[in-house]
Amino acid sequence: MKGFKVLPVGPLRVNSTILYSKGEAFIFDPGADEDKIIDFLSEKGLKPRGIFLTHGHIDHFGAVKRLKKRFGSVPVFLNERDRFLLSEELWPGFAAYLGADLNPPIDGYISEGDSFEVGNLSVEIYETPGHTPGSVVYWVPQLELLIAGDLLFRGGIGRWDLPGGDSNALVNSLKRVFNLFPDNTTVVTGHYELTTLGYEKRNNPYLAGIL
């Protein structure tokens, strides 16, 4: 048994992804609704082996503390360039609105070229700054799956006007991703609908002047 499950969590519908194989699982971007994540793991009989963040915004890490309380030995990973964001609420009252906890524990810092394995699936890390300095995407070659965070959306691209954002870096990261991975790549976006790289090439108006 191998595959992935996308669970939209919290009021912003963050796409929290569970990647699983051979009874083990990685959790990506658990922004809220930890019970929904725990219930899926239990239903499938999966043991979590790692929690990975695409970037350091609170809506993507809000449930990490509570998951760590439940699964204390499960390590949490982030790119170090986003460490400064872990205590950043972004807007007054945003944490309360999200039901999120600031300052999640980080057990290890990841960077370009790192890779991890869960069961018989491998996960490769590529740095894609722009939305934040430490934004990364996770590539699962066996599934032709890209967990892209807020780099790319169906019909849109990530914003760059939040702390650490950089429009030029975002453009370069988008160009790189579309050159690295095939058009049939399934993209788990940061929020809302999933997409493919081919669909975005053909239909995303924000990419017309980039690609």
Side-chain angles (χ1 to χ4, degrees):
M1 180 182 69
K2 67 181 178 181
F4 70 99
K5 177 70 173 179
V6 178
L7 299 172
V9 298
L12 300 185
R13 307 286 286 172
V14 170
N15 285 326
S16 181
T17 304
I18 300 174
L19 181 71
Y20 57 90
S21 174
K22 293 188 174 181
E24 299 181 340
F26 287 162
I27 303 166
F28 298 84
D29 285 358
D33 297 337
E34 69 279 0
D35 289 343
K36 188 185 291 189
I37 296 168
I38 292 167
D39 287 348
F40 179 81
L41 294 171
S42 177
E43 173 191 327
K44 295 290 187 182
L46 300 171
K47 186 168 185 177
R49 293 298 191 187
I51 298 172
F52 296 83
L53 303 177
T54 58
H55 62 290
H57 283 159
I58 187 173
D59 55 323
H60 289 255
F61 69 68
V64 166
K65 274 189 175 179
R66 298 190 291 276
L67 287 172
K68 280 287 282 186
K69 187 175 182 180
R70 175 66 181 266
F71 306 112
S73 62
V74 177
V76 181
F77 299 97
L78 172 78
N79 184 280
E80 190 169 12
R81 292 185 182 90
D82 273 9
R83 182 172 57 178
F84 77 101
L85 288 168
L86 300 180
S87 58
E88 175 62 63
E89 193 176 17
L90 297 179
W91 299 280
F94 196 41
Y97 169 71
L98 297 171
D101 294 321
L102 288 164
N103 298 307
I106 302 298
D107 299 290
Y109 292 107
I110 52 174
S111 59
E112 179 97 17
D114 289 342
S115 63
F116 297 81
E117 292 186 354
V118 57
N120 58 7
L121 295 176
S122 57
V123 179
E124 302 171 4
I125 294 164
Y126 296 82
E127 295 181 7
T128 52
H131 180 61
T132 65
S135 288
V136 301
V137 298
Y138 299 94
W139 168 243
V140 187
Q142 295 89 347
L143 302 179
E144 294 188 306
L145 177 71
L146 189 70
I147 301 171
D150 287 355
L151 173 69
L152 180 68
F153 301 105
R154 187 178 177 91
I157 60 175
R159 59 190 296 177
W160 56 86
D161 58 338
L162 297 173
D166 183 322
S167 60
N168 290 328
L170 184 72
V171 166
N172 289 333
S173 292
L174 286 164
K175 287 179 179 176
R176 183 168 184 242
V177 161
F178 278 89
N179 285 327
L180 277 173
F181 306 112
D183 283 3
N184 64 340
T185 295
T186 298
V187 181
V188 179
T189 59
H191 304 259
Y192 310 112
E193 292 180 84
L194 278 60
T195 190
T196 67
L197 291 181
Y199 177 89
E200 298 310 312
K201 272 186 182 179
R202 296 187 300 272
N203 298 289
N204 192 323
Y206 295 94
L207 297 174
I210 294 175
L211 302 181

